[in-house]
Amino acid sequence: MVKIGYKRCNIGESPGPATDRLWNDKGAWRMMVGMRVLRGGLAAALMMVALPMATVTTVSLVPSQAVAQTAASIGVQGNRRIEADTIRSYFKPGPDGRLDNIRIDDGLKALIETGLFQDVRIDRSGGRLTVVVVENPVIGRVAFEGNKKVKDEQLLAEVQSKPRGTLSRAMVQSDTQRISEIYRHNGRYDVRVEPKIIEQPNNRVDLVFEITEGKKTTVKAIEFIGNQAFSSYRLKDVIRTRETNLLSFLGSGDVYDSDRVEADRDVLRRFYLKNGYADVQILAALTEYDPARGGFLVTFKIDEGQQYRVGSVEFQSSIPSFDGNSLRSLSRVSVGSVYNAEAVEKSVEEMSIEASRRGYAFATVKPRGDRNFDAHTVSIVFAVDEGPRTYIERINVRGNTRTRDYVIRREFDVSEGDAFNRALVDRAERRLKNLDFFKSVKITPEPGSSTDRVVLNVDVEEKSTGDFSVSGGYSTADGFLGEVSISERNLLGRGLFAKASVTYGQRARGYALSFVEPYLLGYRVALGLDLYQREQLASSYVSYNTKTLGFSPRLGFQLREDLNLQLRYSISQMEITLPEYLRNCQNNPVPSFFPTPAYINAHGGTVANPNDPSNPFTLNNNCYSDGEASLAVRKELASGRVLTSALGYSLAYNTLDNNKNPTAGVLAMLNQDFAGVGGDVNYLKTSGDVKLYSPVVSDVISVLHLQGGWLAKTSGDLRMLDHFQMGPNLVRGFAPAGIGPRDISSYFMTGYGDALGGTKYWGASLELQMPFWFLPKEVGMKGAVYADAGSLWGYEGPKCWAATAECLTMSDNSAKIRSSVGVGLIWQSPFGPLRFDYAVPLSKDHYDRVQEFRFGGGTTF
């Protein structure tokens, strides 16, 4: 045996003397012997280790194969709540009823994937298979701390961890991310969410999410790059994202939302396509957080291309028995007009529906546009082809927890078993979005059970449809006004509309109840019921009070997407009274706009007529009595309560691009009412109103407003109250009921006499609306300049009264033109729309009432 001495060394330490001696004393021979001995020892040691290992390996493999387990023989340890048989059920035996290593491994993975256990392992000791588990604890409660902007109920509905459920670490992490996403959608990107687990007895825990909400992250600036045809000011109107401003706390449009910014890209693209830019590309929507400004900068990169006009419109059909030209009347595009992709889509929709009605259920209408890049025109061809014979196998409605299925399904013009028509499906999706019941609506087709079957999946996300509002406003005609209302657009989840409101103001008071069933007896016919009471008090414009109680059922028909018809019946009872100061001047105060008794006595019982100084007004015993009211008013008083029963209709045509803030399109209305279906009144009243909006230059919008009306008696006499009463609603610069024939014999009482109204009127107005470019877009303020003209004439009511042998003295009853020019300030404020007008009359009658300044507006909060 060779004995070698050594010394343990640290890294980098030199060998010691013993080692030196080994090499110095016969170093070469001794080194060779030592190395051989060392090699022999290592080899012997390896053999001794390898043999037992091989023996053990052989022994452990043999029982695994020889003693294969059955599912029933598996032992279970560590389970407290979960039954042992439940755990064994995850181990699926083979055809021979035994478990091999692969099936045991599959069962182990299946148990882990359940999320019920913190740890799962297999123990093979003793030749028996044992599953050892450590169960996840049960959640006693889920709580949220630090959340002020998002309620507990909303967060609890979003997280997957629930009370009495099993705690899963992966699920908790997922819930943490979900809570963060909720806050980010609310514009709070600095949010921090930290889950805390509080141990409780009996393997239970409390899960607490500690939330640091952070400040709201807003959009500080919106920029557009590449826009030439439309200014950035105009494009900011198109998108939904808004820049932050001093009044942003009243809304949420300035809160950064990545989904909304992405949706704005599509909104911009559709806007350009609607205005003829067929080559437009929204290249990017870039967002960048600016730490210095504490918000996001949003930039849209646009490649507009050229504007196209329609060069030609043709119709083709590959179906022998179908004439494509027969669809020409349904086209909404015309030669020479600006190309409008939206109009093309609606044309395709109408044509597809018409083809289906004619029995061509599988016919498809496909538009084709051939562009002439030099002439900047598009030749549109509507091609009618026999589409694939595909049927709708099933319509799945998902995501509606409150809205009934049939409310969604009835918006489809197709059902299960019908031919699949893409245009009709797109129309249904648009209708569902217009219901305003859902945050989002998406209809996606997927293959059915065979190649000629398709399944439609309708995914909706519901939102709140109830409104409670308190409104306030002021107008120069009605003074201060307040309203409280409560409404529901989706009553009981059945798609019904109901509203109740109460109004109280200085001169106007009342209540109204409304109910609408949009699908009467399953048909696309809306039934509406209105019950109302209105009271209008005397003012400086009229000398009498009116009180009206009415009920009106109506039926609404949507003839086209832009054309609606309403049929109605109305029955109302009206009563007029005089205020106290006109009934007894001895005991009641006189309003400020009436001459005082001292003034009367000082003038010897007469008051000067400013329009005719040579003919002063004579007073009657210096007393404000019924005799001082207009003859027409007193005759209405003698009639008492008057019942009006009338049939009528309204036809509305609407192509506005935006109903609240239109910049292009037409809004036309025709109304006609026939009174005399019972009741005390007989007449035929017709009125029409047309507004045409069109852009003039960048951001400047012209509004042409035309209106007119005609009243004809069918039998008997017309009442004064049935006549048209006009003022600033016809020509601005005049007071309410300030235009047209007047009873000047009652001039003393009201300062201008009672308005009698007229049976005919016309009006025309041209207005230019323009923004204030020096103000931020989000202020929502713009100016207007306008010129108005119109006339009201043809009073045909009572002029003499045999009971008192009186006849009224009437001002000019001819069609004299009134006109004015003025300026206005329009403010789409967070408090509601406000408008200020200052108009100067250019032509008027002597007895017309002027009101140069007018203000109106209100809010809902």
Side-chain angles (χ1 to χ4, degrees), residues 53 61 318 320 427 436 469 478 528 548 597 616 631 745 763 819 858:
M53 287 182 65
L61 287 177
S318 62
R427 186 184 207 182
D436 199 25
S469 65
D478 296 324
T548 306
L631 178 147
S745 59
S819 62

Side-chain angles (χ1 to χ4, degrees), residues 16 28 55 105 113 117 155 206 228 245 307 320 380 401 489 551 582 585 668 698 700 750 762 805:
T55 305
D105 185 58
E113 289 174 356
F117 307 99
L155 294 175
D206 289 342
Q228 300 295 328
N245 59 76
Q307 188 183 51
I380 300 176
T401 57
R489 300 190 305 275
F551 173 71
L582 286 182
C585 63
S698 179
V700 178
T750 62
W762 67 269

Side-chain angles (χ1 to χ4, degrees), residues 102-123:
I102 295 176
R103 296 184 182 277
I104 292 173
D105 185 58
D106 290 342
L108 178 65
K109 292 177 180 177
L111 280 175
I112 295 173
E113 289 174 356
T114 62
L116 299 173
F117 307 99
Q118 290 184 8
D119 185 32
V120 181
R121 60 188 178 86
I122 302 296
D123 187 0

Side-chain angles (χ1 to χ4, degrees), residues 733-749:
F734 291 87
I739 294 175
R742 310 187 78 84
D743 178 9
I744 59 175
S745 59
S746 64
Y747 184 93
F748 162 73
M749 286 304 306

Side-chain angles (χ1 to χ4, degrees), residues 181-189 217-219 240-242 252-264 287 296 298 300:
E181 285 298 320
I182 293 173
Y183 273 93
R184 290 190 181 101
H185 279 290
N186 282 274
R188 297 182 182 273
Y189 278 74
T217 312
T218 59
V219 176
R240 294 176 56 199
T241 304
R242 295 286 181 262
S252 59
D254 68 317
V255 176
Y256 175 73
D257 186 338
S258 58
D259 293 340
R260 181 164 54 197
V261 171
E262 192 62 28
D264 283 338
T287 57
F296 281 89
V298 180
F300 294 94

Side-chain angles (χ1 to χ4, degrees), residues 23-43:
W23 283 96
N24 293 334
D25 299 337
K26 303 179 181 179
W29 180 82
R30 290 189 177 186
M31 180 180 69
M32 182 179 298
V33 173
M35 290 300 293
R36 288 178 179 175
V37 173
L38 181 60
R39 288 172 184 168
L42 288 174

Side-chain angles (χ1 to χ4, degrees), residues 552-566:
S552 176
R554 62 186 190 276
L555 295 175
F557 304 85
Q558 187 171 20
L559 305 181
R560 291 194 335 188
E561 289 286 323
D562 54 6
L563 187 63
N564 292 279
L565 173 67
Q566 182 188 98

